[in-house]
């Protein structure tokens, strides 16, 4: 039997996990466990490019692990770990800094965007964090990285760095490919549907969190931005708000877009928004309940992240030792 190819991804615990995080990423990760050797982490090191409250960061990191598991990431089938528990991420990131060009980093669209939003804290980490992201991936010799369209640029840079390093030192890194799920939803904000749903959204009504109570979820959908046509029809260009709600409803219920349009033909937006809210409430209910149950068992969660870090460190150390030898470091 062929060895499974490796898949790796992570999400920053810089805020609560959103409906977009689940529909666009975690749901698809959970479905890949039998097909790939999967590594998923809490990217706590990446959060430091923006100032964090230490107690909140610790709490959110453990909460995110509980939510990963509640969303279907079985620790028996997936390696789940906290990024900062594997020091090889930072060690390889420094070496990759030295094989990444200043011009490459200055072209990163996320650096430009975050610089605008954090003008008072444009730090070196904000500039070089694509090198840490490359280290995250290349340490594990990952074949695939599940990414959204907005992260493809970072995956391409990782490929460029790997090819450059391999060109100098031989076959050191697996060159990863972006894995874009065919049914990966790109969930948009409920209040500004031209923007992706984000935990950093300044309007709390635009973002639905997995741990939101049912009444809060229902209220957010009732306030969702629509249009004046009063027709439930999928047309992202001309009807971004309604198209976003159709996508969310389809993802929550398993129906296709045509079936959703037929179900609500001739009905007003009020009926449709209520139905979408109800579907999301039922989707999130078991996730929230299971996450809360897991959070009450701190010993279990600690055992998961410790075991995950042990396994991840073993793989990461093999790669790092190979890199250290190639660049000329004395082996201890």
């Amino acid at each position: 039997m062929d060895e499974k190819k490796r898949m790796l991804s992570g999400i920053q615990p810089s805020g609560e996990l959103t409906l977009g995080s689940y529909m666009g990423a975690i749901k698809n990760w959970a479905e890949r466990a039998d097909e790939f050797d999967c590594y998923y982490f809490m990217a706590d090191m990446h959060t430091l490019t923006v100032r964090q409250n230490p107690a909140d960061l610790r709490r959110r990191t453990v909460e995110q692990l509980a939510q990963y598991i509640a969303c279907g990431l079985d620790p028996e089938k997936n390696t789940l770990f906290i990024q900062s528990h594997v020091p090889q991420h930072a060690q390889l990131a420094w070496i990759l800094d030295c094989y990444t060009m200043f011009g490459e980093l200055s072209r990163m669209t996320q650096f430009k965007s975050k610089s605008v939003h954090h003008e008072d804290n444009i730090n070196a980490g904000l500039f070089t964090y694509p090198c840490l992201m490359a280290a995250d991936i290349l340490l594990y010799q990952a074949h695939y990285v599940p990414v959204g369209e907005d992260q493809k640029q970072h995956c391409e840079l990782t490929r460029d760095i790997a090819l450059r390093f391999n060109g100098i030192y031989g076959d050191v890194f697996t060159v990863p490919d972006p894995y874009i799920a065919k049914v990966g939803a790109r969930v948009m904000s409920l209040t500004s549907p031209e923007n992706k749903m984000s935990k950093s959204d300044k309007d709390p009504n635009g973002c639905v969190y997995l741990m939101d109570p049912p009444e809060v979820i229902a209220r957010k959908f009732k306030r969702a931005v629509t249009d004046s046509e009063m027709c439930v029809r999928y047309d992202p260009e001309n009807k971004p708000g309604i198209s976003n709600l159709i996508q969310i409803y389809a993802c929550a219920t398993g129906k296709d877009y045509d079936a959703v349009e037929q179900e609500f033909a001739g009905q007003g937006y009020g009926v449709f928004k209520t139905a979408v809210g109800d579907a999301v409430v039922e989707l999130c209910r078991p996730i929230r309940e299971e996450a809360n149950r897991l959070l009450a068992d701190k010993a279990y969660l600690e055992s998961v992240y410790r075991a995950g870090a042990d396994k991840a460190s073993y793989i990461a150390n093999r790669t790092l030792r190979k890199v250290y030898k190639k660049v000329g470091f004395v082996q201890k």
Side-chain angles (χ1 to χ4, degrees), residues 82-124:
I82 297 170
Q83 184 187 26
S84 62
H85 287 181
V86 184
Q88 292 91 340
H89 286 251
Q91 291 170 287
L92 182 59
W94 166 248
I95 293 177
L96 299 186
D97 276 345
C98 301
Y99 290 81
T100 307
M101 301 303 112
F102 186 90
E104 289 173 316
L105 292 174
S106 47
R107 287 193 291 273
M108 293 288 109
T109 54
Q110 289 223 341
F111 171 69
K112 294 173 185 174
S113 166
K114 289 191 175 184
S115 299
V116 171
H117 291 107
H118 302 283
E119 286 182 356
D120 59 336
N121 185 26
I122 305 174
N123 55 69

Side-chain angles (χ1 to χ4, degrees), residues 209-222:
Y209 300 102
L210 291 181
M211 300 298 280
D212 274 344
E215 63 277 10
V216 172
I217 294 174
R219 186 177 71 244
K220 287 179 179 179
F221 278 100
K222 282 175 183 169

